[in-house]
Amino acid sequence: MAATTSIKPFSPEETRRILDHLQQPAIFLNMTCSWPVLSWTVEHLSGCLGDKLVRFRLGRKEETNAPVFETQCSYEEAKVAQFLSWTQGQFGTDVGPFSKYSHSEYWAYADYKYIAMLFHDQPSMFEDVKWSEFGFEGRNGRESTLWIGTEGANTPCHLDSYGCNLVLQVQGRKRWHLFPPEDTAKLYPTRVPYEESSVFSQVDVLHPDLRRFPAFQSARAHVVTLQPGQVLYVPRHWWHYVESVDPLTVSINSWIELEMDDVARVSEAVAKTVVFAIKSAQSDDNTDNWLSPTEEEKASHDENMQYVNLAVRACAQRQQTQSPRDTCRVKRDSSGQIKKNRACVWNRAPFSVPFGPHLISVCCQQEELSLTQKHLDVSSSRNCTTGSDAESRSTSELTVKPHDGSHECRSGLTQSGPCDCGRGTSEHSSEDYKEFKHTTITTNDLLGCLVHPDIITRVTELLLERHMGNHRNTVPL
């Protein structure tokens, strides 16, 4: 029986090829049944980490019309055992710094914890995570991060500047709200607070303020509740808001590097330089807490310009020294879409992503996002989980047909593969909110224009063109 459960629906090579061709979020099932990391519950981690202190982010459980950014949270360092006691209401035991917070009023989140640092003295634990089975040879827990949270713990809606993302749910469930890169303008991007490699949305996607952000009503939300044992693939530059929906959750993720990250690093260096230059200037309207706590220190302008030059040179060198073999890799454009490459033999052959019982595309939603909506849950009947996790699952709203991989969308239409429906029209029309008001342009208004993704992309292109042109045209006098 044990041998049967270890059979995977896709080989590492097949999985890697699937990932190279996926252009929308998707969930892999039955790929992690034999992974030891599935035993990493909060209780298990409490024993493994012992007296080590872990930094937790705490936020209030309250409904607002604005995201709860890291700059608005409280932070405490505590043992995982103290965190566990606090979540269980064991106030007669040692709950450490959590004694200052009511569990009914606050959520807690140990997020972005690098496993390599957390278990530096227990390197054998790295092998519990087996991303090599997804086609990334040698990748394990050393290149992964750990997330431990309570119900309500969330990551504000954002996109990652670099790579794509693989996320394994270990304990409890997390609900993901994803939006395609093409909807970036509708998400109202901002770099305040500034966090390297993260572009935040100004919108509270669960309770959007449509007076301030009317375009959000037409953003195409793809919502899925990730179950233990499942792996979610998040493509490059897809926006995502993530929230824990069970009393305790544990997940593991790994960001996968992509070729276009070289250009993205130039863009990120430019954005950082502009943000730091503008926000470091003294003015009456420039006193907000703009730097994320995840940033260790405020870099000087000289340091940021050095970073820009290093990123430009590295990107240009990569483009000049690209080997012929690189032409046979899957190429994507700036939005993450696959570019046709006639030089590659296997790319000429048509490839159909094998959606079905083991691979499910995340469908877009047609209903307004709200706490009272019915969310998309993947059926738990095929998951690699046991115990209370399996008992707590809700009924799936995604019907998977075992042979052709089609599924029934919320509109009742049957889709084959990815769904391309749009969000429905909100009961609030943007016409209702068109009021002309003359308002003073603030420092953050100006900054928002200067670091708008379209502007940063163009500046990046100009810098690379100038560098490449200067390199070609430099001749001795």
Side-chain angles (χ1 to χ4, degrees), residues 6 59 160 252 263 269 394 439:
S6 65
D160 299 314
I252 306 285
V263 176
S394 59
T439 57

Side-chain angles (χ1 to χ4, degrees), residues 45-89:
L45 291 170
S46 172
C48 295
L49 292 169
D51 292 333
K52 287 183 182 177
L53 296 180
V54 177
R55 194 186 194 202
F56 287 85
R57 177 166 62 93
L58 293 99
R60 283 189 172 275
K61 296 178 179 178
E62 56 185 4
E63 294 184 8
T64 65
N65 290 115
V68 180
F69 293 121
E70 282 88 342
T71 51
Q72 301 165 283
C73 294
S74 301
Y75 292 84
E76 300 290 350
E77 290 194 348
K79 304 173 187 176
V80 175
Q82 295 170 330
F83 164 77
L84 186 59
S85 296
W86 177 68
T87 63
Q88 297 172 342

Side-chain angles (χ1 to χ4, degrees), residues 225-244:
T225 302
L226 196 62
Q227 311 277 355
Q230 298 175 347
V231 173
L232 172 66
Y233 168 70
V234 182
R236 181 178 188 263
H237 285 182
W238 272 70
W239 293 84
H240 48 285
Y241 167 84
V242 191
E243 181 173 336
S244 298

Side-chain angles (χ1 to χ4, degrees), residues 365-380:
Q365 306 297 289
Q366 287 192 312
E367 298 180 14
E368 276 189 30
L369 297 178
S370 71
L371 284 179
T372 57
Q373 83 175 92
K374 292 184 178 181
H375 296 277
L376 172 66
D377 280 355
V378 175
S379 174
S380 60

Side-chain angles (χ1 to χ4, degrees), residues 50-257:
D51 292 333
K52 287 183 182 177
L53 296 180
V54 177
R55 194 186 194 202
F56 287 85
R57 177 166 62 93
L58 293 99
R60 283 189 172 275
K61 296 178 179 178
E62 56 185 4
E63 294 184 8
T64 65
N65 290 115
V68 180
F69 293 121
E70 282 88 342
T71 51
Q72 301 165 283
C73 294
S74 301
Y75 292 84
E76 300 290 350
E77 290 194 348
K79 304 173 187 176
V80 175
Q82 295 170 330
F83 164 77
L84 186 59
S85 296
W86 177 68
T87 63
Q88 297 172 342
Q90 299 176 0
F91 290 99
T93 59
D94 177 20
V95 296
F98 290 107
S99 61
K100 296 181 289 185
Y101 306 90
S102 168
H103 182 251
S104 62
E105 297 178 7
Y106 285 85
W107 49 259
Y109 209 8
D111 50 0
Y112 296 100
K113 304 306 174 191
Y114 289 97
I115 293 176
M117 298 176 63
L118 205 57
F119 297 107
H120 65 90
D121 56 345
Q122 303 176 63
S124 62
M125 293 191 68
F126 302 159
E127 302 301 325
D128 288 1
V129 185
K130 300 184 178 298
W131 296 120
S132 57
E133 296 186 6
F134 276 71
F136 300 98
E137 186 177 356
R139 183 176 288 263
N140 55 31
R142 190 186 300 275
E143 297 83 18
S144 305
T145 52
L146 174 69
W147 309 67
I148 306 172
T150 63
E151 183 177 1
N154 65 83
T155 304
C157 187
H158 69 285
L159 68 78
D160 299 314
S161 302
Y162 309 136
C164 58
N165 196 1
L166 288 173
V167 186
L168 167 65
Q169 194 61 27
V170 175
Q171 179 182 8
R173 297 169 299 159
K174 277 186 175 178
R175 186 159 293 134
W176 287 71
H177 300 252
L178 303 111
F179 302 86
E182 296 77 20
D183 285 356
T184 289
K186 301 171 184 178
L187 272 296
Y188 299 85
T190 180
R191 296 312 300 256
V192 177
Y194 175 81
E195 178 179 286
E196 185 172 358
S197 77
S198 294
V199 181
F200 290 104
S201 167
Q202 300 179 61
V203 182
D204 178 347
V205 299
L206 296 186
H207 307 93
D209 183 345
L210 295 180
R211 289 184 179 272
R212 291 185 62 199
F213 311 114
F216 178 73
Q217 63 187 326
S218 61
R220 292 163 293 177
H222 296 60
V223 185
V224 65
T225 302
L226 196 62
Q227 311 277 355
Q230 298 175 347
V231 173
L232 172 66
Y233 168 70
V234 182
R236 181 178 188 263
H237 285 182
W238 272 70
W239 293 84
H240 48 285
Y241 167 84
V242 191
E243 181 173 336
S244 298
V245 296
D246 280 331
L248 289 172
T249 63
V250 175
S251 52
I252 306 285
N253 88 293
S254 188
W255 286 284
I256 310 299
E257 306 83 2

Side-chain angles (χ1 to χ4, degrees), residues 27 29-30 230 354-362 376-382 396-409 414-415 417:
I27 298 171
L29 288 80
N30 301 323
Q230 298 175 347
F355 293 109
H358 307 296
L359 178 64
I360 305 170
S361 64
V362 179
L376 172 66
D377 280 355
V378 175
S379 174
S380 60
S381 62
R382 299 178 184 272
S396 168
E397 293 183 47
L398 179 64
T399 304
V400 179
K401 295 184 178 181
H403 298 297
D404 60 8
S406 61
H407 57 266
E408 189 173 351
C409 190
T414 299
Q415 304 285 338

